[in-house]
Amino acid sequence: MHVLYYHQHFATPQGAGGTRSYEMAKSLIERGHSVTMVCGSYFKAETGLLGEYSRGMREGEVDGIHVIEFDLPYSNYDGFLKRTMIFIEFAIRGIIIAMKYDYDLLFATSTPLTAGVPGIISSLLRKKPFVFEVRDLWPELPREMGVITNPLILKAMDFLEWASYHSANACIGLSPGIVGGIKRKGINPKIVTMIPNGSDLELFKAKANTNREKEFKAIFTGAHGIANGLDAVLDSAAVLKKRGRKDIKLILVGDGKLKPSLKMRAVSEKLDNCLFMDPMPKKKLPDFLQRVDAGMMILANVPAFYYGTSPNKFFDYIASGLPVINNYPGWLADIITESRCGIAAPPENPAAFADALEYIADHRDEAAEMGKNARMLAERNFDRVQLAERFVDWLEQNAKEGLAAD
């Protein structure tokens, strides 16, 4: 079958963005299907296309995937209005592709929520099977974070969320909370499945040995935005400095709207135990993770995050055999505790997070055991290859049912 795949922030491993869509598209191709990927231009991603844009788009083959890239550069440094207009324009251009191209199934993945609009239109007007993947619950998350407060905008987003779920033949959620959120909108549980982000067990190798150097390094890899709550890392860095723990270094790799202010705060407070680094291509990240001692899972203390996110970084950490220190409750905190692969600290408690860092730094043998448990967890529950197989099975099943119903 031919899958028309929408992901506005599509990235290949050459870029620094998440590569789930690339991996899932490759799995579809390996199963004998063809994929056309429709995307925009993301500031930290590489789509694999290098040619010039013509009439606002360019297209070509990237590792067997036919990629259509719109000239819609997006950055989370942009303001709310500019980002909204880019989302809307992507949806409009996506509708044109959905109405013009020949395909068997349309698959769309959020965020943004507007990525589902071509699927809604295709389902209504062309009766094509549509599968919608939900990476974050919108508008629940921005509503709880207070990022969007305009009641008209929230109402419009509520309607778009409802329409996306109810137009789809099936839905995929990336976490237990997302699956629950979809079902609460009146969707039949039989057509909703959970396929979380996974661990690339080939790309990321288990840590060869425990770092016996005096310096202990904990890493965060990901966006530096409001949702990430990275001031918590600096708060704990301040605690560690007061305690005289010069041997513990906190490394933040990535980019985002709040990175400049975070760096300024680190300088003004003389937090020389914090190191900021540029985003790193996916292919370079595994070697770097071999040289650190723990991964940090950090998010703002928003209840909707507890069970409603599936961060890529967690699965990279555990695939690399790193103990994970987490600063918010929820399904990942539960997994970390149950699997004994790190420490789940309470939210908004810099001292407790600093305690966790110190404990792992001071108990290297136990940290090594946590790392082994992390890798075993990745192999047992989050093997990307097995999850990709489930993904392809789900699309094949719902394509058949959708075409049969038509």
Side-chain angles (χ1 to χ4, degrees):
M1 79 179 160
H2 180 196
V3 178
L4 188 59
Y5 196 131
Y6 285 78
H7 183 195
Q8 187 160 349
H9 306 320
F10 171 71
T12 66
Q14 279 65 43
T19 57
R20 176 185 175 94
S21 291
Y22 172 86
E23 294 156 359
M24 295 306 188
K26 290 285 289 178
S27 296
L28 281 162
I29 291 166
E30 289 168 6
R31 190 78 74 85
H33 305 296
S34 59
V35 178
T36 296
M37 181 70 63
V38 184
C39 62
S41 303
Y42 191 32
F43 80 113
K44 65 178 181 178
E46 293 287 343
T47 65
L49 297 181
L50 300 173
E52 296 294 321
Y53 290 99
S54 175
R55 296 181 180 179
M57 62 178 278
R58 60 184 176 183
E59 58 183 308
E61 298 295 314
V62 178
D63 297 339
I65 308 166
H66 185 74
V67 178
I68 298 174
E69 180 184 349
F70 297 134
D71 186 13
L72 291 172
Y74 172 88
S75 168
N76 60 19
Y77 281 91
D78 296 333
F80 175 76
L81 182 59
K82 183 177 180 180
R83 285 182 286 130
T84 300
M85 295 309 297
I86 290 172
F87 294 156
I88 292 172
E89 188 170 353
F90 179 82
I92 292 170
R93 293 193 192 184
I95 291 170
I96 295 170
I97 297 292
M99 296 304 292
K100 187 169 65 173
Y101 271 62
D102 184 30
Y103 53 92
D104 301 298
L105 178 141
L106 190 150
F107 176 83
T109 183
S110 68
T111 54
L113 186 57
T114 45
V117 173
I120 296 170
I121 301 301
S122 172
S123 176
L124 289 173
L125 301 184
R126 296 193 66 183
K127 307 301 180 184
K128 294 285 189 180
F130 167 39
V131 176
F132 189 47
E133 178 178 83
V134 186
R135 298 186 179 214
D136 296 297
L137 285 175
W138 281 63
E140 286 88 337
L141 290 182
R143 181 187 284 123
E144 284 203 24
M145 290 172 63
V147 175
I148 300 174
T149 57
N150 186 305
L152 293 178
I153 294 175
L154 290 170
K155 283 278 187 186
M157 293 177 71
D158 275 325
F159 174 76
L160 182 54
E161 180 189 41
W162 183 93
S164 297
Y165 298 166
H166 284 265
S167 298
N169 295 79
C171 294
I172 296 172
L174 270 66
S175 75
I178 293 173
V179 168
I182 296 169
K183 292 176 181 178
R184 285 195 298 273
K185 294 295 180 178
I187 303 302
N188 184 346
K190 291 182 180 179
I191 66 166
V192 184
T193 193
M194 176 177 145
I195 304 177
N197 281 320
S199 296
D200 190 329
L201 301 176
E202 291 298 317
L203 183 63
F204 294 89
K205 303 297 183 182
K207 195 167 173 61
N209 50 56
T210 305
N211 179 13
R212 296 295 177 179
E213 296 176 13
K214 182 179 179 182
E215 191 171 79
F216 178 88
K217 297 181 285 292
I219 192 170
F220 171 89
T221 60
H224 293 36
I226 296 171
N228 305 97
L230 292 180
D231 274 300
V233 175
L234 274 63
D235 293 341
S236 293
V239 172
L240 290 168
K241 188 158 188 180
K242 286 180 182 177
R243 295 176 180 177
R245 293 303 301 257
K246 296 179 180 180
D247 58 314
I248 299 177
K249 304 295 184 184
L250 308 181
I251 304 169
L252 294 94
V253 179
D255 203 353
K257 193 171 185 177
L258 297 188
K259 186 170 185 176
S261 62
L262 290 164
K263 292 176 73 174
M264 286 177 61
R265 180 188 164 190
V267 170
S268 67
E269 296 182 19
K270 296 183 173 55
L271 298 176
D272 51 4
N273 51 354
C274 288
L275 174 65
F276 291 87
M277 297 182 66
D278 291 334
M280 198 172 294
K282 189 87 169 184
K283 285 192 171 182
K284 291 186 177 181
L285 187 58
D287 288 339
F288 194 80
L289 292 183
Q290 287 290 312
R291 302 199 294 272
V292 301
D293 305 290
M296 295 186 288
M297 283 301 306
I298 311 292
L299 273 177
N301 186 27
V302 177
F305 286 153
Y306 297 172
Y307 294 89
T309 60
S310 184
N312 282 301
K313 62 184 74 66
F314 173 77
F315 304 98
D316 295 344
Y317 296 158
I318 62 174
S320 302
L322 291 176
V324 182
I325 306 172
N326 184 79
N327 83 328
Y328 62 98
W331 75 292
L332 291 184
D334 294 343
I335 288 172
I336 290 167
T337 301
E338 292 164 7
S339 302
R340 294 182 52 80
C341 64
I343 298 175
E348 298 181 347
N349 191 329
F353 196 81
D355 290 344
L357 286 162
E358 285 191 277
Y359 186 87
I360 292 182
D362 294 340
H363 298 81
R364 298 299 179 96
D365 290 337
E366 191 172 342
E369 286 302 312
M370 290 179 179
K372 289 177 183 177
N373 292 340
R375 176 69 186 193
M376 286 191 292
L377 171 66
E379 293 172 353
R380 183 175 65 248
N381 292 350
F382 300 110
D383 182 349
R384 179 187 62 80
V385 174
Q386 294 180 13
L387 293 174
E389 288 293 314
R390 280 172 47 194
F391 173 84
V392 177
D393 289 344
W394 187 250
L395 262 61
E396 287 178 341
Q397 173 190 331
N398 287 285
K400 289 176 183 177
E401 292 176 358
L403 290 169
D406 185 41

